[in-house]
Structure formats: C-alpha cells, structure tokens
Short mmCIF file of all heavy atoms in Angstrom, two decimals:
data_model
loop_
_atom_site.label_atom_id
_atom_site.label_comp_id
_atom_site.label_asym_id
_atom_site.label_seq_id
_atom_site.Cartn_x
_atom_site.Cartn_y
_atom_site.Cartn_z
N SER A 10 -11.47 -15.13 21.73
CA SER A 10 -11.64 -14.59 20.38
C SER A 10 -11.22 -15.64 19.36
O SER A 10 -10.14 -16.22 19.46
CB SER A 10 -10.78 -13.33 20.21
OG SER A 10 -10.71 -12.96 18.85
N PHE A 11 -12.07 -15.84 18.35
CA PHE A 11 -11.74 -16.72 17.23
C PHE A 11 -11.31 -15.92 16.01
O PHE A 11 -11.16 -16.48 14.93
CB PHE A 11 -12.95 -17.59 16.86
CG PHE A 11 -13.13 -18.78 17.73
CD1 PHE A 11 -14.36 -19.05 18.33
CD2 PHE A 11 -12.09 -19.66 17.98
CE1 PHE A 11 -14.54 -20.15 19.14
CE2 PHE A 11 -12.26 -20.76 18.81
CZ PHE A 11 -13.49 -21.01 19.38
N GLY A 12 -11.10 -14.61 16.18
CA GLY A 12 -10.77 -13.78 15.03
C GLY A 12 -9.46 -13.04 15.13
O GLY A 12 -9.24 -12.06 14.40
N HIS A 13 -8.56 -13.49 16.00
CA HIS A 13 -7.31 -12.75 16.18
C HIS A 13 -6.39 -12.82 14.97
O HIS A 13 -5.49 -11.99 14.83
CB HIS A 13 -6.58 -13.26 17.44
CG HIS A 13 -6.66 -12.29 18.58
ND1 HIS A 13 -7.84 -11.74 19.01
CD2 HIS A 13 -5.69 -11.73 19.37
CE1 HIS A 13 -7.61 -10.91 20.02
NE2 HIS A 13 -6.32 -10.88 20.23
N ALA A 14 -6.60 -13.80 14.10
CA ALA A 14 -5.80 -13.85 12.88
C ALA A 14 -6.04 -12.62 12.02
O ALA A 14 -5.17 -12.22 11.23
CB ALA A 14 -6.14 -15.11 12.09
N ALA A 15 -7.21 -11.99 12.16
CA ALA A 15 -7.50 -10.78 11.39
C ALA A 15 -6.50 -9.68 11.71
O ALA A 15 -6.05 -8.95 10.81
CB ALA A 15 -8.93 -10.31 11.68
N PHE A 16 -6.13 -9.54 12.97
CA PHE A 16 -5.17 -8.51 13.37
C PHE A 16 -3.75 -8.89 12.95
O PHE A 16 -2.99 -8.04 12.50
CB PHE A 16 -5.24 -8.29 14.88
CG PHE A 16 -6.64 -8.20 15.40
CD1 PHE A 16 -7.08 -8.99 16.46
CD2 PHE A 16 -7.56 -7.33 14.82
CE1 PHE A 16 -8.37 -8.92 16.93
CE2 PHE A 16 -8.87 -7.24 15.28
CZ PHE A 16 -9.27 -8.05 16.34
N PHE A 17 -3.43 -10.16 13.10
CA PHE A 17 -2.11 -10.67 12.71
C PHE A 17 -1.90 -10.48 11.21
O PHE A 17 -0.88 -9.93 10.78
CB PHE A 17 -2.01 -12.15 13.10
CG PHE A 17 -0.68 -12.78 12.82
CD1 PHE A 17 0.39 -12.62 13.70
CD2 PHE A 17 -0.48 -13.56 11.69
CE1 PHE A 17 1.61 -13.21 13.46
CE2 PHE A 17 0.73 -14.16 11.43
CZ PHE A 17 1.79 -13.99 12.32
N GLY A 18 -2.87 -10.95 10.42
CA GLY A 18 -2.72 -10.89 8.97
C GLY A 18 -2.84 -9.50 8.39
O GLY A 18 -2.10 -9.13 7.47
N SER A 19 -3.76 -8.69 8.92
CA SER A 19 -3.92 -7.33 8.38
C SER A 19 -2.66 -6.51 8.63
O SER A 19 -2.22 -5.75 7.75
CB SER A 19 -5.13 -6.65 9.02
OG SER A 19 -5.00 -6.57 10.43
N ALA A 20 -2.06 -6.66 9.81
CA ALA A 20 -0.81 -5.95 10.09
C ALA A 20 0.31 -6.43 9.17
O ALA A 20 1.15 -5.65 8.71
CB ALA A 20 -0.41 -6.13 11.55
N ALA A 21 0.33 -7.74 8.90
CA ALA A 21 1.34 -8.30 8.00
C ALA A 21 1.21 -7.67 6.61
O ALA A 21 2.22 -7.29 5.99
CB ALA A 21 1.18 -9.82 7.91
N TYR A 22 -0.01 -7.54 6.12
CA TYR A 22 -0.24 -6.94 4.81
C TYR A 22 0.09 -5.45 4.80
O TYR A 22 0.71 -4.93 3.86
CB TYR A 22 -1.69 -7.14 4.37
CG TYR A 22 -1.95 -8.47 3.71
CD1 TYR A 22 -2.73 -9.44 4.32
CD2 TYR A 22 -1.41 -8.75 2.45
CE1 TYR A 22 -2.98 -10.66 3.71
CE2 TYR A 22 -1.65 -9.97 1.83
CZ TYR A 22 -2.43 -10.92 2.46
OH TYR A 22 -2.67 -12.13 1.85
N ILE A 23 -0.33 -4.73 5.85
CA ILE A 23 -0.07 -3.29 5.91
C ILE A 23 1.43 -3.03 5.91
O ILE A 23 1.94 -2.20 5.14
CB ILE A 23 -0.72 -2.69 7.18
CG1 ILE A 23 -2.24 -2.71 7.05
CG2 ILE A 23 -0.22 -1.26 7.40
CD1 ILE A 23 -2.97 -2.35 8.33
N THR A 24 2.16 -3.75 6.75
CA THR A 24 3.61 -3.56 6.83
C THR A 24 4.29 -3.93 5.51
O THR A 24 5.15 -3.20 5.01
CB THR A 24 4.19 -4.41 7.97
OG1 THR A 24 3.62 -3.99 9.21
CG2 THR A 24 5.70 -4.26 8.04
N GLY A 25 3.90 -5.08 4.95
CA GLY A 25 4.50 -5.52 3.69
C GLY A 25 4.26 -4.53 2.57
O GLY A 25 5.18 -4.20 1.79
N TYR A 26 3.03 -4.01 2.46
CA TYR A 26 2.71 -3.07 1.39
C TYR A 26 3.47 -1.76 1.56
O TYR A 26 4.03 -1.23 0.59
CB TYR A 26 1.20 -2.80 1.38
CG TYR A 26 0.80 -1.69 0.45
CD1 TYR A 26 0.78 -1.87 -0.93
CD2 TYR A 26 0.44 -0.43 0.96
CE1 TYR A 26 0.41 -0.84 -1.78
CE2 TYR A 26 0.07 0.60 0.11
CZ TYR A 26 0.06 0.39 -1.25
OH TYR A 26 -0.29 1.41 -2.09
N LEU A 27 3.50 -1.23 2.77
CA LEU A 27 4.14 0.06 2.99
C LEU A 27 5.65 -0.02 2.76
O LEU A 27 6.25 0.92 2.21
CB LEU A 27 3.84 0.56 4.41
CG LEU A 27 2.39 0.96 4.68
CD1 LEU A 27 2.21 1.36 6.14
CD2 LEU A 27 1.95 2.10 3.76
N ILE A 28 6.26 -1.11 3.18
CA ILE A 28 7.71 -1.25 3.00
C ILE A 28 8.06 -1.51 1.54
O ILE A 28 9.01 -0.93 0.99
CB ILE A 28 8.26 -2.37 3.90
CG1 ILE A 28 8.14 -1.97 5.37
CG2 ILE A 28 9.71 -2.69 3.54
CD1 ILE A 28 8.58 -3.05 6.33
N LYS A 29 7.28 -2.38 0.89
CA LYS A 29 7.60 -2.76 -0.49
C LYS A 29 7.21 -1.69 -1.50
O LYS A 29 7.99 -1.37 -2.41
CB LYS A 29 6.90 -4.07 -0.83
CG LYS A 29 7.20 -4.58 -2.24
CD LYS A 29 6.50 -5.89 -2.52
CE LYS A 29 6.81 -6.39 -3.93
NZ LYS A 29 6.12 -7.66 -4.22
N SER A 30 6.02 -1.13 -1.36
CA SER A 30 5.50 -0.22 -2.38
C SER A 30 5.67 1.26 -2.04
O SER A 30 5.74 2.09 -2.95
CB SER A 30 4.01 -0.50 -2.62
OG SER A 30 3.81 -1.84 -3.03
N GLN A 31 5.71 1.58 -0.76
CA GLN A 31 5.80 2.99 -0.35
C GLN A 31 7.15 3.35 0.24
O GLN A 31 7.33 4.48 0.72
CB GLN A 31 4.69 3.30 0.67
CG GLN A 31 3.29 2.99 0.17
CD GLN A 31 2.92 3.78 -1.07
OE1 GLN A 31 3.22 4.97 -1.15
NE2 GLN A 31 2.28 3.14 -2.04
N ASN A 32 8.07 2.40 0.24
CA ASN A 32 9.45 2.62 0.69
C ASN A 32 9.54 3.10 2.14
O ASN A 32 10.40 3.90 2.51
CB ASN A 32 10.15 3.65 -0.22
CG ASN A 32 10.27 3.16 -1.65
OD1 ASN A 32 10.57 1.98 -1.90
ND2 ASN A 32 10.00 4.03 -2.61
N PHE A 33 8.63 2.57 2.98
CA PHE A 33 8.72 2.86 4.41
C PHE A 33 9.93 2.13 5.01
O PHE A 33 10.30 1.06 4.55
CB PHE A 33 7.45 2.40 5.12
CG PHE A 33 6.34 3.42 5.13
CD1 PHE A 33 6.03 4.16 3.99
CD2 PHE A 33 5.60 3.65 6.28
CE1 PHE A 33 5.00 5.09 4.00
CE2 PHE A 33 4.58 4.58 6.30
CZ PHE A 33 4.28 5.30 5.16
N THR A 34 10.51 2.72 6.05
CA THR A 34 11.55 2.02 6.79
C THR A 34 10.90 0.94 7.66
O THR A 34 9.70 1.01 7.95
CB THR A 34 12.34 3.00 7.67
OG1 THR A 34 11.43 3.71 8.52
CG2 THR A 34 13.12 3.98 6.83
N PRO A 35 11.65 -0.08 8.08
CA PRO A 35 11.06 -1.19 8.84
C PRO A 35 10.31 -0.75 10.09
O PRO A 35 9.21 -1.25 10.36
CB PRO A 35 12.26 -2.07 9.18
CG PRO A 35 13.28 -1.75 8.17
CD PRO A 35 13.08 -0.31 7.82
N GLU A 36 10.89 0.18 10.86
CA GLU A 36 10.24 0.58 12.11
C GLU A 36 8.93 1.30 11.84
O GLU A 36 7.95 1.10 12.56
CB GLU A 36 11.18 1.43 12.97
CG GLU A 36 11.46 2.83 12.47
CD GLU A 36 12.51 2.90 11.37
OE1 GLU A 36 13.04 1.83 11.00
OE2 GLU A 36 12.80 4.01 10.89
N LEU A 37 8.88 2.12 10.78
CA LEU A 37 7.64 2.81 10.45
C LEU A 37 6.59 1.82 9.93
O LEU A 37 5.40 1.95 10.22
CB LEU A 37 7.89 3.90 9.41
CG LEU A 37 8.68 5.13 9.88
CD1 LEU A 37 8.88 6.11 8.73
CD2 LEU A 37 7.98 5.81 11.05
#
C-alpha cells in the first residue's frame, strides 16, 4: 500500500480535533 499515511494522518486529525475542540479524554 502506498496510501497508509491516509490512516495515520486522518486518525491524528480526528484525535486532535476531538480532544482539543470537543474535550474528549485521551483514551476516547
């Protein structure tokens, strides 16, 4: 696969947004 960065980066953005803007706990 030449597209695995898509999963790495999308998860990074999802986690960052939820923790920073939606006040999710780290594990969630």
